[in-house]
Amino acid sequence: MSKRITLAHGNGGLLMRELVEECFARKLANTHLNTDLDAAQLNLAGNQWAMTTDGFTVQPLFFPGGNIGSLAIHGTANDLAVSGARARYLSLNAFIEEGLPFSELDNIISAMASAANEAKISIVTGDTKVVPRGHGGGIYFATTGIGEKLPEFQLHPNRLQAGDKVIISGPIGNHGIAVMMAREDFGLHSEIQSDSANVWPLVAALRQLKNPNAVKLLRDPTRGGLNMVVHDWSHFSKLGIELCEHSLPIQPEVNTVCNILGYDPLSLACEGRIVAAVESSIAEDLIARWRNQPLGQEAAVIGELTNAHQQVVINTTIGGQRLLSPLEDEPLPRIC
């Protein structure tokens, strides 16, 4: 690990994994702390709950398809959703920079309230701090969420096996490109919107599968994008993963901007997508159920776990193969 913290330590890639495992997890280890999952699994008074916490520092505060307020609700609820839990209660800490216009704060909190109402989540406690001008990006949020675990799902990396299918619920790269286009002046015009959304309806749809327990693992591909999800799964399972390039759902506009500016859509954050690892026997059923949902209409099987190697490989559209390297540098700071 390098001797000083860099922005790359917060991008969801290799350096962040090292930071979490070697600093935080090693020194704070206890029976409930599991950095392989998006939320802690708790047994409280005989009932199963999940608990997660997150921070939001996106810049700019407003971007096509959302703002930092709606993003904070979606991000927290989604971490619980992919842990098999429906978000019920949230705490909210707001760190407001001196000078933020009240009109912007009002718009942000209104969007937050709308997202929470839509997802039927109650914000039940919180705290507010104001920091001096120049010591923040307008406003930061820290949230903690508690969700009710569903008994149908036993989601854990140790259940991954060779032959499991990798499925994604929709196009990748939209959130990262939407925020970047709102932040920078590249002289480009785009209609790309962030995918920020509550993914709970997609998880709820999985309860109707003939065998919900055949869903092995779910993740929302936020920092590090799809790239780090599949590398994490390969790392945890000691299995390889082969992705099929022509099956990856990427909107042409996103692909064009990535090609022009040199970004890899696989490494860009999504805020309204799910990646699933499932037994092959339910893949077709799952795709059909997700495509019946507004957020899942472009769901696709994009790959498979294999015991032939322990790498992440992309089968290209021209019939070749290339290794997908895990994210190391910081492609787009402060996008979530």
Side-chain angles (χ1 to χ4, degrees), residues 189-203:
H189 176 71
S190 167
E191 301 295 330
I192 298 170
Q193 299 270 317
S194 166
D195 54 69
S196 179
N198 170 31
V199 301
W200 172 252
L202 293 171
V203 177

Side-chain angles (χ1 to χ4, degrees), residues 1-79:
M1 186 183 299
S2 62
K3 294 182 179 180
R4 292 183 185 274
I5 294 294
T6 69
L7 286 175
H9 285 98
N11 70 358
L14 281 179
L15 290 179
M16 184 170 175
R17 182 193 296 166
E18 290 176 5
L19 175 70
V20 171
E21 291 181 350
E22 296 178 17
C23 183
F24 291 97
R26 183 169 60 85
K27 295 183 178 179
L28 302 177
N30 62 70
T31 55
H32 298 291
L33 181 60
N34 185 342
T35 59
D36 295 347
L37 303 174
D38 285 303
Q41 315 297 304
L42 304 174
N43 186 326
L44 303 175
N47 296 316
Q48 297 297 314
W49 296 82
M51 178 178 177
T52 189
T53 190
D54 210 340
F56 299 88
T57 65
V58 65
Q59 193 64 228
L61 303 177
F62 298 84
F63 48 84
N67 65 45
I68 191 172
S70 55
L71 180 67
I73 298 299
H74 294 151
T76 312
N78 291 350
D79 279 348

Side-chain angles (χ1 to χ4, degrees), residues 24 97 139 253 263:
F24 291 97
E97 183 179 1
I139 189 168
E253 299 89 344
Y263 293 117

Side-chain angles (χ1 to χ4, degrees), residues 2 4 44 53 74 81 93 107 117 131 148 155 173 180 191 208 214 229 261 283:
S2 62
R4 292 183 185 274
L44 303 175
T53 190
H74 294 151
N93 291 325
N107 287 337
N117 289 335
V131 299
E148 192 173 6
L155 306 171
M180 186 273 293
E191 301 295 330
Q208 306 306 316
V229 171
L261 300 177

